[in-house]
Amino acid sequence: MVDRPGLITPEIAEQYGVSTHTVSKTWAQHPDWPAPVDRRGRYKEYAATDIADFVREHIERQAVTLEPERLYTAQQLEDAGIGIKAGTIRADLTRSRWPEPDDTEHGVNRWKGETVMVAMTGRRGYRRQGS
């Protein structure tokens, strides 16, 4: 077996857990998508290191860092730059895709920073702290 330093679309999709459509129609349309280094069959071949750099810089989201014991509203979480809109948090909560609030005093849903950080590491596209 030949160890290739390059990747083609199906290999990129498999390696990063996305569809070939996502790679070819979304990622590859980005202005910072790397230039191909060769061709393999009907596919353009890309340097694996260039793809890894692109994914790290444009696709993966850094693990969010919040004060673990502080309580945050959905809007405060959005404002903290976690990468999710307050409306998405509220919608995901109703669909059981977001953790129940740690506090609901005065009818306001608030989550501890620690709860949010754990929830974020379970979401697609986020890296765990220290990864």
Side-chain angles (χ1 to χ4, degrees):
M1 182 172 171
V2 175
D3 185 28
R4 294 183 180 271
L7 297 171
I8 60 174
T9 299
E11 295 167 340
I12 295 167
E14 182 178 346
Q15 182 168 335
Y16 293 100
V18 297
S19 69
T20 56
H21 180 82
T22 295
V23 174
S24 62
K25 300 296 182 192
T26 303
W27 295 5
Q29 303 307 312
H30 193 283
D32 293 333
W33 182 250
V37 294
D38 203 354
R39 285 197 76 81
R40 192 172 354 139
R42 66 184 186 123
Y43 294 103
K44 295 176 184 174
E45 187 173 37
Y46 301 91
T49 55
D50 290 348
I51 297 300
D53 291 344
F54 174 83
V55 170
R56 185 176 48 257
E57 293 171 20
H58 300 285
I59 305 302
E60 289 182 342
R61 301 174 191 174
Q62 295 295 319
V64 64
T65 303
L66 300 169
E67 296 174 41
E69 293 302 312
R70 178 180 166 193
L71 290 167
Y72 296 86
T73 65
Q75 187 60 55
Q76 288 170 328
L77 291 169
E78 178 182 339
D79 294 345
I82 67 168
I84 299 177
K85 301 270 184 197
T88 301
I89 292 170
R90 292 183 196 103
D92 283 359
L93 177 62
T94 64
R95 293 178 178 94
S96 300
R97 294 188 300 211
W98 188 258
E100 290 295 319
D102 294 303
D103 180 76
T104 57
E105 188 175 342
H106 305 297
V108 176
N109 291 334
R110 298 185 307 162
W111 295 265
K112 287 185 176 181
E114 179 178 33
T115 301
V116 174
M117 289 186 293
V118 169
M120 296 300 287
T121 59
R123 289 180 81 93
R124 186 179 205 165
Y126 286 85
R127 291 188 287 174
R128 297 192 187 283
Q129 197 81 10
S131 293

